[in-house]
Amino acid sequence: MPQKISHIGIAVHDIEEAAKFYTEVLGLELGGVEEVPDQKVKVAFLPIGEVRIELVQPTSPDSPVAKFLEKSGPGFHHIAYQVEDTGAEVERMLGDGVRMVDQKPRGGAHNTRIAFVHPKASGGVLTELVQEMGHG
Ligand code: ZN
């Protein structure tokens, strides 16, 4: 069972451009930018309380996020729940017949293990499970 919201993912064309609203208008701090080659994206985290806003920019035209931007334009992309064990959650969900994008966990930004639930299984909301692996 998820313990809390980890982050909220926003699809953007350009992180630097999109971050201006969050830093200059809202006054949040940009927590650094990281590339996730696995998902062909670049992500920027802006912490707010226990949650983070995650700006996601595709680094390749065949990135799923590039396809999302093409279809829907920039905006809300996914919600991420923090879990203790992504692998166990995926197995439990698959066992319950829940449709998953990822059949097993993969590496995410900032040393995490992640998996996506298919939006068809979650009322149209792309849902990410995140396990923090700690630092180092
Ligand atoms: Zn995410």
Side-chain angles (χ1 to χ4, degrees):
M1 200 181 86
Q3 292 127 4
K4 62 170 195 172
I5 305 284
S6 161
H7 61 268
I8 295 161
I10 312 285
V12 303
H13 288 294
D14 181 322
I15 280 178
E16 277 72 41
E17 207 40 50
K20 284 181 189 163
F21 169 76
Y22 297 92
T23 56
E24 290 170 19
V25 179
L26 294 181
L28 302 184
E29 299 243 334
L30 189 58
V33 180
E34 185 179 331
E35 209 162 318
V36 189
D38 213 35
Q39 296 158 70
K40 296 177 181 159
V41 293
K42 207 159 84 154
V43 300
F45 279 114
L46 298 108
I48 172 161
E50 284 206 316
V51 180
R52 291 166 305 194
I53 301 295
E54 179 190 68
L55 304 180
V56 191
Q57 175 193 325
T59 52
S60 157
D62 64 343
S63 162
V65 178
K67 285 175 188 132
F68 175 91
L69 284 169
E70 229 169 77
K71 215 173 124 192
S72 312
F76 173 78
H77 182 255
H78 67 272
I79 187 159
Y81 296 91
Q82 188 175 308
V83 297
E84 240 166 55
D85 184 340
T86 302
E89 291 292 328
V90 169
E91 284 205 2
R92 181 179 64 81
M93 288 184 182
L94 285 173
D96 288 345
V98 175
R99 189 165 164 196
M100 304 292 292
V101 173
D102 298 303
Q103 310 302 308
K104 54 181 191 220
R106 53 191 164 112
H110 295 85
N111 197 23
T112 54
R113 300 287 291 157
I114 66 162
F116 282 95
V117 180
H118 198 280
K120 286 238 161 82
S122 50
V125 179
L126 182 58
T127 300
E128 180 183 1
L129 307 170
V130 184
Q131 176 186 0
E132 309 264 353
M133 303 302 282
H135 298 280

